[in-house]
Amino acid sequence: MKQMSLKKQAMITAGSSALMRALGFGIRLWISRMLGAEALGIMELASGAHMLALTPAAAGLPSAVSRLTAKAKSEEQKQLTLYAGRRAAIWMGCLITPLFFFLSPLIAEALGDGRTLPALLFFAPCVLTVGVSSVYDGYFFGQGKALPPALSEGAEQMARIGVLAAFVFLIPRVTVAYRAALPALASSVGEAVGLIVILLLAGSIPSYRKHPDERRMRKQLARLSAPLLLNRLCHTALRSLCGIVIPLRLMAAGYGRPEALSQFGMFNGMVMPLMFLPGMVSGALSTVGGPAVARCGTKKAEKQLILRLLLSALGTGISSAAALYFLSPLISRYFYRLPELSRLIRFACPLAVLLPLQQVSGGMLTGLGLQKHSLWASLLGSVALLLCTWQWVLRMGISGAAFASIAGHGLTLFCEMVYLLSRTRNKDL
């Protein structure tokens, strides 16, 4: 399988992402109708805790594997990178999965709703499968091969759809807690299928258990992945905390608990997925652009590539935000059957511009080896998001959560752009 050009990689990744996101959006739309806003809110609460458990196994390590694979000068070094990364992911997954499983009852209590427990238990197996699968994705992207991850993602999504379709007849008959857990079960099955597919595509790699460079490779992976891991941990922890804070602040504003969970489900389970739709393009740009920046032979080429990717993300974001703004009545009335959702979608539209730019700028910083800069930017933005959520949800209701997200992501993007602009304006470039 030959290395592809950056344009071809981006097209394959974006095309695959567009198809998978379209399927995912259709699934989420169907889920929102079948489960109801309250069950959707419960699922989102459990999902926040699941993402926090998933972070150590899946954050940082794939990007480090991708960067080192892109810079490797021989096939042996590339395979050694994959071996070391896969081994680290397996160790972390085997440690975190049983721990998360046994701590799920305590986590459900901490989330403030015991009905999240079934979803937490079904989410637990994802930690190991996602960690290993993400390392293989990073390995292929580092080699400039976008097709295997795309095929794996496609198999994963189709398996998820199949599981949900198989259990569709159960949804009206089970309790709210188990309705909220069905998407978690589908995710676990889908991730397992995606891992099997990418393992088959990768084939076998030699054993490097006694390779003299393995220890050095593990240290390199740890050094590169640590800032990204801390970045994602902080971001995910604060996001999970916001998931707890929003219903609490809504109740403090006078909402009952079922209504507060419904409002949270509308925002996090219906509006935010719309804001992430531009990620089908920006995610592809970030995924293939990071290793491409690492492979740049000259500072001038590096600068041109960064500017080109940022402008592409900006154009994608602006066009998406405009479309969401004008189509919000149609989306809320005919897709979600909640006419009152239109106002919230319009409030959140600036996120459709901020998120693609943030995704690409973060990918560029990783490709340049400036993970620490991305860590501080994300940390500042996440703290601002939490503080604004605490204040504004009480005063403005669920609309305050949208404005808080805009403020938090805007601050993160501002900090990342300062770092990138200082890099591109350097006289040596």
Side-chain angles (χ1 to χ4, degrees):
M1 195 178 296
K2 297 181 179 179
Q3 178 176 321
M4 301 175 181
S5 66
L6 178 62
K7 183 177 180 180
K8 191 172 182 179
Q9 289 182 68
M11 289 177 62
I12 290 176
T13 307
S16 169
S17 180
L19 178 59
M20 293 306 107
R21 282 177 184 263
L23 289 172
F25 181 74
I27 294 171
R28 186 169 284 271
L29 179 63
W30 174 77
I31 288 174
S32 68
R33 290 182 177 181
M34 297 297 293
L35 299 187
E38 185 180 2
L40 197 59
I42 293 170
M43 186 193 75
E44 290 295 334
L45 277 176
S47 178
H50 164 245
M51 290 302 297
L52 186 59
L54 189 65
T55 297
L61 192 58
S63 295
V65 169
S66 180
R67 176 175 168 79
L68 290 180
T69 302
K71 296 181 76 68
K73 296 181 179 179
S74 68
E75 187 63 30
E76 183 183 12
Q77 287 180 320
K78 293 177 182 179
Q79 292 183 343
L80 178 59
T81 302
L82 174 60
Y83 174 80
R86 185 183 66 178
R87 193 174 182 185
I90 291 173
W91 274 105
M92 284 190 286
C94 290
L95 176 65
I96 296 170
T97 298
L99 185 64
F100 183 75
F101 185 86
F102 287 114
L103 290 178
S104 289
L106 295 177
I107 296 171
E109 284 190 31
L111 291 173
D113 198 318
R115 293 175 295 178
T116 58
L117 180 59
L120 291 171
L121 294 174
F122 284 142
F123 270 134
C126 288
V127 178
L128 177 61
T129 53
V130 170
V132 177
S133 182
S134 297
V135 166
Y136 275 90
D137 286 347
Y139 169 73
F140 280 116
F141 282 121
Q143 288 189 302
K145 299 173 182 177
L147 188 57
L151 293 174
S152 173
E153 186 181 4
E156 172 196 329
Q157 196 73 281
M158 295 307 296
R160 183 180 285 116
I161 294 171
V163 171
L164 285 171
F167 286 103
V168 64
F169 67 93
L170 287 177
I171 289 179
R173 304 180 186 180
V174 298
T175 63
V176 173
Y178 282 95
R179 286 210 307 271
L182 287 177
L185 175 61
S187 294
S188 291
V189 175
E191 295 290 354
V193 171
L195 175 60
I196 292 170
V197 170
I198 204 162
L199 287 175
L200 291 174
L201 293 172
S204 60
I205 61 171
S207 174
Y208 289 101
R209 191 175 302 278
K210 297 181 180 180
H211 197 285
D213 289 336
E214 186 198 341
R215 188 172 181 180
R216 178 183 59 82
M217 181 62 69
R218 290 204 306 267
K219 288 182 178 180
Q220 281 186 291
L221 287 172
R223 178 176 56 82
L224 289 173
S225 63
L228 294 171
L229 174 58
L230 290 173
N231 181 345
R232 189 69 66 83
L233 275 173
C234 293
H235 178 75
T236 306
L238 286 169
R239 178 188 169 192
S240 300
L241 192 55
C242 283
I244 299 173
V245 165
I246 291 174
L248 290 176
R249 298 304 278 173
L250 286 171
M251 286 189 287
Y255 292 86
R257 182 160 189 81
E259 189 178 3
L261 281 173
S262 296
Q263 291 282 307
F264 174 63
M266 287 170 58
F267 174 68
N268 229 44
M270 299 179 186
V271 174
M272 287 304 293
L274 292 172
M275 301 304 117
F276 282 110
L277 283 177
M280 69 179 70
V281 176
S282 61
L285 295 175
S286 176
T287 300
V288 303
V293 167
R295 288 193 296 265
C296 281
T298 65
K299 296 292 185 180
K300 183 178 180 181
E302 179 184 286
K303 174 182 176 180
Q304 290 175 343
L305 179 58
I306 290 172
L307 293 177
R308 193 169 75 223
L309 292 173
L310 286 172
L311 288 174
S312 298
L314 178 62
T316 300
I318 291 174
S319 57
S320 299
L324 287 171
Y325 185 88
F326 289 109
L327 293 176
S328 59
L330 177 67
I331 294 170
S332 58
R333 186 181 299 275
Y334 295 103
F335 286 92
Y336 286 117
R337 297 177 183 173
L338 292 170
E340 64 272 22
L341 198 64
S342 177
R343 181 168 175 265
L344 188 57
I345 293 173
R346 288 186 168 181
F347 281 147
C349 273
L351 285 171
V353 180
L354 296 175
L355 290 172
L357 282 170
Q358 183 187 334
Q359 195 170 23
V360 172
S361 61
M364 296 304 97
L365 288 173
T366 300
L368 294 170
L370 302 175
Q371 297 93 328
K372 291 182 180 179
H373 296 78
S374 183
L375 167 62
W376 286 111
S378 182
L379 182 59
L380 287 172
S382 296
V383 171
L385 170 60
L386 180 61
L387 294 176
C388 291
T389 298
W390 181 266
Q391 291 293 329
W392 294 351
V393 170
L394 180 64
R395 298 178 182 179
M396 295 182 283
I398 196 63
S399 299
F403 290 131
S405 294
I406 292 168
H409 288 291
L411 180 58
T412 298
L413 176 62
F414 175 77
C415 294
E416 290 181 343
M417 291 300 295
V418 167
Y419 295 135
L420 283 175
L421 287 174
S422 65
R423 175 94 179 189
T424 57
R425 288 180 178 177
N426 191 304
K427 292 181 180 180
D428 295 332
L429 292 180

Coordinates of all heavy atoms in Angstrom, one line a residue, residues 35 39 42 115-119 121-122 167 170-171 173-185:
L35 N -35.4 7.5 22.3 CA -35.1 7.5 23.7 C -35.8 8.5 24.5 O -36.2 8.4 25.6 CB -33.6 7.6 23.9 CG -32.6 6.6 23.3 CD1 -31.2 6.8 23.7 CD2 -33.1 5.2 23.7
A39 N -33.7 10.4 28.6 CA -32.8 9.3 28.4 C -31.5 9.7 27.7 O -30.4 9.2 28.0 CB -33.4 8.1 27.7
I42 N -29.3 11.3 30.3 CA -28.6 10.3 31.1 C -27.4 9.6 30.3 O -26.4 9.4 30.9 CB -29.6 9.2 31.5 CG1 -30.7 9.8 32.4 CG2 -28.9 8.0 32.1 CD1 -31.9 8.8 32.7
R115 N -29.2 6.0 37.4 CA -29.7 5.4 36.2 C -28.6 5.4 35.1 O -28.7 4.8 34.0 CB -30.9 6.2 35.6 CG -32.1 6.0 36.5 CD -33.3 6.9 36.0 NE -33.0 8.3 36.1 CZ -33.8 9.3 35.7 NH1 -34.9 8.9 35.2 NH2 -33.4 10.5 35.9
T116 N -27.4 6.0 35.4 CA -26.3 6.0 34.4 C -25.5 4.7 34.5 O -24.7 4.4 33.7 CB -25.3 7.2 34.7 OG1 -24.9 7.1 36.0 CG2 -26.0 8.5 34.4
L117 N -25.7 3.9 35.6 CA -24.9 2.7 35.8 C -24.9 1.7 34.6 O -23.9 1.2 34.2 CB -25.4 2.0 37.1 CG -24.6 0.7 37.5 CD1 -23.1 1.0 37.6 CD2 -25.2 0.1 38.7
P118 N -26.1 1.3 34.1 CA -26.1 0.3 32.9 C -25.2 0.9 31.8 O -24.4 0.1 31.2 CB -27.5 0.2 32.6 CG -28.3 0.5 33.8 CD -27.5 1.6 34.5
A119 N -25.3 2.1 31.4 CA -24.6 2.7 30.3 C -23.1 2.7 30.7 O -22.2 2.3 29.8 CB -25.0 4.1 30.1
L121 N -21.5 0.5 32.6 CA -21.0 -0.9 32.5 C -20.8 -1.3 31.0 O -19.9 -2.0 30.7 CB -22.0 -1.8 33.2 CG -22.1 -1.6 34.7 CD1 -23.2 -2.5 35.3 CD2 -20.8 -1.9 35.4
F122 N -21.7 -0.9 30.1 CA -21.6 -1.2 28.7 C -20.5 -0.5 28.0 O -19.9 -1.0 27.1 CB -22.9 -1.0 28.0 CG -24.0 -2.0 28.3 CD1 -25.3 -1.6 28.4 CD2 -23.7 -3.3 28.4 CE1 -26.3 -2.5 28.7 CE2 -24.7 -4.3 28.6 CZ -26.0 -3.9 28.8
F167 N -31.9 -4.2 18.4 CA -32.6 -3.9 19.7 C -33.7 -2.9 19.6 O -34.2 -2.5 20.7 CB -31.5 -3.5 20.8 CG -30.7 -4.6 21.3 CD1 -29.4 -4.7 20.8 CD2 -31.1 -5.5 22.1 CE1 -28.5 -5.7 21.2 CE2 -30.3 -6.6 22.6 CZ -29.0 -6.7 22.1
L170 N -36.8 -3.4 21.6 CA -36.7 -3.3 23.0 C -36.9 -2.0 23.6 O -37.3 -1.8 24.8 CB -35.4 -3.9 23.5 CG -35.2 -5.4 23.4 CD1 -33.7 -5.7 23.8 CD2 -36.2 -6.2 24.2
I171 N -36.7 -0.9 22.8 CA -36.6 0.4 23.4 C -37.9 0.9 24.1 O -37.9 1.4 25.2 CB -36.2 1.4 22.3 CG1 -34.7 1.2 21.9 CG2 -36.5 2.9 22.7 CD1 -34.2 2.1 20.8
R173 N -40.0 -0.9 25.6 CA -40.3 -1.8 26.7 C -39.4 -1.8 27.9 O -39.8 -2.3 29.0 CB -40.3 -3.3 26.2 CG -41.2 -3.5 24.9 CD -41.1 -4.9 24.5 NE -41.9 -5.1 23.2 CZ -42.0 -6.2 22.6 NH1 -41.4 -7.3 23.0 NH2 -42.7 -6.3 21.4
V174 N -38.3 -1.2 27.8 CA -37.3 -1.2 28.9 C -37.4 0.2 29.7 O -38.0 1.2 29.2 CB -35.9 -1.4 28.5 CG1 -35.8 -2.8 27.9 CG2 -35.4 -0.4 27.5
T175 N -36.8 0.2 30.8 CA -36.8 1.5 31.6 C -35.9 2.5 31.0 O -35.1 2.2 30.1 CB -36.2 1.2 33.0 OG1 -34.9 0.7 32.9 CG2 -37.1 0.1 33.7
V176 N -36.0 3.7 31.5 CA -35.2 4.8 31.0 C -33.7 4.5 31.1 O -32.9 4.8 30.2 CB -35.5 6.2 31.7 CG1 -34.6 7.3 31.3 CG2 -37.0 6.6 31.5
A177 N -33.3 3.9 32.2 CA -31.9 3.6 32.4 C -31.3 2.7 31.3 O -30.2 2.9 30.8 CB -31.7 3.0 33.8
Y178 N -32.1 1.7 31.0 CA -31.6 0.7 29.9 C -31.8 1.2 28.5 O -31.1 0.8 27.6 CB -32.3 -0.6 30.1 CG -31.6 -1.4 31.3 CD1 -32.2 -1.3 32.5 CD2 -30.5 -2.1 31.1 CE1 -31.6 -2.0 33.6 CE2 -29.9 -2.8 32.1 CZ -30.5 -2.8 33.4 OH -29.9 -3.4 34.4
R179 N -32.8 2.1 28.3 CA -32.8 2.8 27.0 C -31.6 3.6 26.8 O -31.0 3.7 25.7 CB -34.1 3.7 27.0 CG -35.4 3.0 26.8 CD -36.4 3.8 26.1 NE -36.7 5.1 26.7 CZ -37.5 5.4 27.6 NH1 -38.2 4.4 28.1 NH2 -37.7 6.6 28.0
A180 N -31.1 4.3 27.8 CA -29.9 5.1 27.7 C -28.7 4.3 27.5 O -27.7 4.8 27.0 CB -29.8 6.0 29.0
A181 N -28.7 3.0 28.0 CA -27.5 2.1 27.9 C -27.4 1.4 26.5 O -26.3 1.0 26.2 CB -27.6 1.1 29.0
L182 N -28.5 1.4 25.7 CA -28.4 0.7 24.4 C -27.3 1.3 23.5 O -26.6 0.5 22.8 CB -29.8 0.6 23.8 CG -30.8 -0.3 24.4 CD1 -32.1 -0.2 23.7 CD2 -30.3 -1.8 24.4
P183 N -27.2 2.6 23.4 CA -26.2 3.2 22.5 C -24.8 2.8 23.0 O -23.9 2.6 22.2 CB -26.4 4.7 22.6 CG -27.9 4.8 22.9 CD -28.2 3.7 23.8
A184 N -24.6 2.7 24.3 CA -23.3 2.3 24.9 C -23.0 0.9 24.5 O -21.8 0.6 24.1 CB -23.3 2.4 26.4
L185 N -23.9 0.0 24.5 CA -23.7 -1.4 24.1 C -23.3 -1.4 22.6 O -22.4 -2.2 22.2 CB -25.0 -2.2 24.3 CG -25.0 -3.7 23.8 CD1 -23.8 -4.5 24.5 CD2 -26.3 -4.3 24.1

